[in-house]
Amino acid sequence: MSSPLFLSSAFSTANGHLPLLSPRPATCPSPGFASKPTLAPTATFFYRESVHPRFRCCCCCSSSSSSSSMPLELSTSASDQDDDLGDSLLYSRAYWVSESIIAWNVDVPDGSCYLYASRTAALSISYGGIQGADVEIELQEDKGGLPANVIEKFPHIRDYKAFKVPAGSDAKLLLKCQLAVGTYNSDRKCSDATGLQLPGILDELFSYDGPLGALYAEETVSLYLWAPTAQSVSACIYRDPLGGNPLEVVQLKENDGVWSIKGPKSWEGCYYVYEVSVYHPSALQIEKCYANDPYARGLSSDGRRTLLVNLDSDTLKPEGWDKLVYEKPDILSFSDISIYELHVRDFSVSDHTVHPDFRGGYLAFTLQNSAGVSHLKKLSNAGLTHVHLLPTFQFAGVDDRKENWKSVDAEVLEKLPPDSTEQQAQITAIQNDDGYNWGYNPVLWGVPKGSYASNPNGSCRTIEFRRMVQALNHIGLHVVLDVVYNHLQGSGPFDDNSVLDKVVPGYYLRRNSDGFIEHSTCMNNTASEHYMVERLIIDDLLCWAVNYKVDGFRFDLMGHIMKSTMMKAKHALHSLTKEIHGVDGSSIYM
């Protein structure tokens, strides 16, 4: 099959468990999130909670665990420096790949290996080994090596040693703690230590296909969050998008890694933020992270709160929306496709035939007599079939509140000499605060970008995006979205643009053999080889196809996404039907 013709108008680039923490005061951020710097390797941390009575040390630890006011310090004594172990816990070089196996590239010919857990993140390294653990478990090397199913999932560690975790170790509870492994010589001198990477065991124990995000019923609104390593999760419910104190703070209950709560119907139209208490390996602490819902479908204008918006509500549908599937232009073969790439803002930002309130936004595509739309009509009549929109999801780099944008005076620039450096200097001075960005720095994949809406608060994003798709379809053009699933803008517990890495730290982002995030996509590579990452990508594609009736997807840096993920995504999209989903999945182009 021949490839479609591609035209471009822009350059393109980017529980069952006992609670681990005692109840805390119901506090939530107002008006914004706290921001902290990344902690240096020599930072000092403090214990926060007393030890839960379920935790008991094994024979190598004291049998009575009590709370401590002593700080956790990463030891840098001369002996530790000589042994090169002082900063070992900053790394995660071992992999907990299944409930019964930890993989680690170490030799323990005549010594021993132990798994350590601390629910207060109190682990430290000293000459005698790993200290501060609530639980210590001896591991035995499996001379048979890693099993075939583990090697298939993690081929890059096929030559690692396999260490057996004893049955009855309560892995689900341990996964909520700071974890480390250490090896010892026959004289009990610590020879190596490191943290653990957890996606393997998380996939084995907590892979989940049930509801996530917000679900709407006749009298209730329910929230579901997948966060198996979290010690507690609360939702802060706000009436308004910005400022003020929460209407209420509700504690979610956990069932097998999924936290949920059923709230009143009055929540619909409100905003919420998750407060997740979780061990974060980048900070070596139990952190209280404030995050949007990974399955958010709406946002506040500052991107800090998730809007409870029901995409199935008739009030959010343009007239004739449910019939659009029967009005789309015909495509007999994918080889007949010709594609025109453009940027939502660039399409109309300088078009004086467009009302100023609509310039640079979704609604500019609905103005049938504007210069831009008239041009698209001519292209459609000449055989153009698809419009490819550069990223339209929620991305960083452009404030959704237009009143915060900075700009240069074009008339002033025009009066400057052609060889002046002042033009570039003025542009450079405001380039990080203007309204322009290609959009290849994703924050939330499933929410339309607010800066393109007439009002970034409320449901305008949804309604106006749908009106744009409908208008383009009505002039004979299909809509292709540029999707960027290979990386995310933010990571860590404090970055305002971090979402997924606050909810399940260390899971959603691909890490190297030292445990640090890979950046080959430009930043924060995502790990589609992990079950719930793959699920999120496919769920997101289905959301855009079903709820916004888009006709195709262009994948940025597809080579960084697993081929198996792409094949599953193609099958899921092509399985959509007009009768059930209001979409002809067979016509969706990837």
Side-chain angles (χ1 to χ4, degrees), residues 277-294:
S277 291
V278 63
Y279 173 74
H280 207 292
S282 70
L284 300 180
Q285 288 198 113
I286 306 299
E287 294 292 349
K288 187 182 292 184
C289 299
Y290 296 101
N292 279 302
D293 194 326

Side-chain angles (χ1 to χ4, degrees), residues 237-420:
I237 312 296
Y238 295 86
R239 172 61 62 193
D240 299 317
L242 305 170
N245 294 317
L247 293 173
E248 55 183 320
V249 179
V250 292
Q251 187 81 25
L252 278 67
K253 295 182 179 180
E254 185 188 14
N255 181 22
D256 212 18
V258 178
W259 299 79
S260 64
I261 190 169
K262 183 175 292 186
K265 186 67 172 178
S266 60
W267 280 4
E268 187 172 343
C270 293
Y271 296 81
Y272 66 105
V273 177
Y274 283 126
E275 177 190 290
V276 183
S277 291
V278 63
Y279 173 74
H280 207 292
S282 70
L284 300 180
Q285 288 198 113
I286 306 299
E287 294 292 349
K288 187 182 292 184
C289 299
Y290 296 101
N292 279 302
D293 194 326
Y295 278 73
R297 298 297 177 239
L299 285 171
S300 59
S301 60
D302 64 353
R304 304 287 186 88
R305 298 174 184 175
T306 300
L307 174 66
L308 284 159
V309 55
N310 182 4
L311 298 185
D312 292 328
S313 172
D314 289 339
T315 61
L316 304 185
K317 298 178 181 179
E319 184 178 356
W321 180 250
D322 290 332
K323 298 179 181 179
L324 184 60
V325 64
Y326 302 104
E327 300 170 351
K328 286 181 176 286
D330 292 330
I331 287 289
L332 299 179
S333 170
F334 285 154
S335 61
D336 295 331
I337 292 176
S338 59
I339 303 174
Y340 187 83
E341 180 190 84
L342 58 80
H343 186 281
V344 171
R345 176 185 177 275
D346 287 358
F347 174 68
S348 61
V349 70
S350 300
D351 187 348
H352 294 285
T353 66
V354 174
H355 190 281
D357 291 344
F358 294 170
R359 290 177 195 167
Y362 303 124
L363 291 181
F365 292 89
T366 69
L367 304 178
Q368 294 300 305
N369 297 320
S370 71
V373 172
S374 297
H375 181 63
L376 288 179
K377 287 179 180 178
K378 292 178 182 179
L379 291 175
S380 177
N381 291 334
L384 186 72
T385 63
H386 287 60
V387 168
H388 160 207
L389 301 177
L390 269 68
T392 54
F393 49 75
Q394 184 68 16
F395 58 81
V398 175
D399 195 322
D400 287 345
R401 298 162 291 186
K402 298 179 179 65
E403 62 270 20
N404 293 339
W405 294 355
K406 296 179 181 178
S407 61
V408 296
D409 189 330
E411 293 184 0
V412 171
L413 296 184
E414 291 172 357
K415 295 176 182 178
L416 294 170
D419 60 348
S420 172

Side-chain angles (χ1 to χ4, degrees), residues 132-312:
D134 304 316
V135 175
E136 178 180 326
I137 301 171
E138 185 170 10
L139 309 176
Q140 300 294 330
E141 183 178 350
D142 185 344
K143 298 299 184 179
L146 297 173
N149 65 314
V150 170
I151 293 175
E152 181 180 6
K153 185 175 177 66
F154 301 101
H156 57 296
I157 61 170
R158 63 173 60 246
D159 296 325
Y160 280 39
K161 300 293 191 301
F163 294 89
K164 294 185 291 185
V165 180
S169 296
D170 201 350
K172 291 184 177 182
L173 200 59
L174 294 175
L175 289 169
K176 297 179 180 294
C177 303
Q178 180 188 20
L179 299 170
V181 285
T183 58
Y184 294 83
N185 298 328
S186 56
D187 60 358
R188 285 293 295 173
K189 178 182 178 182
C190 186
S191 55
D192 208 343
T194 189
L196 287 90
Q197 299 190 38
L198 304 178
I201 186 173
L202 292 178
D203 279 352
E204 180 179 85
L205 297 183
F206 295 106
S207 292
Y208 171 75
D209 295 307
L212 288 171
L215 270 67
Y216 302 87
E218 186 174 345
E219 297 181 354
T220 61
V221 175
S222 299
L223 301 178
Y224 297 87
L225 180 71
W226 187 76
T229 62
Q231 296 187 353
S232 68
V233 177
S234 298
C236 309
I237 312 296
Y238 295 86
R239 172 61 62 193
D240 299 317
L242 305 170
N245 294 317
L247 293 173
E248 55 183 320
V249 179
V250 292
Q251 187 81 25
L252 278 67
K253 295 182 179 180
E254 185 188 14
N255 181 22
D256 212 18
V258 178
W259 299 79
S260 64
I261 190 169
K262 183 175 292 186
K265 186 67 172 178
S266 60
W267 280 4
E268 187 172 343
C270 293
Y271 296 81
Y272 66 105
V273 177
Y274 283 126
E275 177 190 290
V276 183
S277 291
V278 63
Y279 173 74
H280 207 292
S282 70
L284 300 180
Q285 288 198 113
I286 306 299
E287 294 292 349
K288 187 182 292 184
C289 299
Y290 296 101
N292 279 302
D293 194 326
Y295 278 73
R297 298 297 177 239
L299 285 171
S300 59
S301 60
D302 64 353
R304 304 287 186 88
R305 298 174 184 175
T306 300
L307 174 66
L308 284 159
V309 55
N310 182 4
L311 298 185
D312 292 328

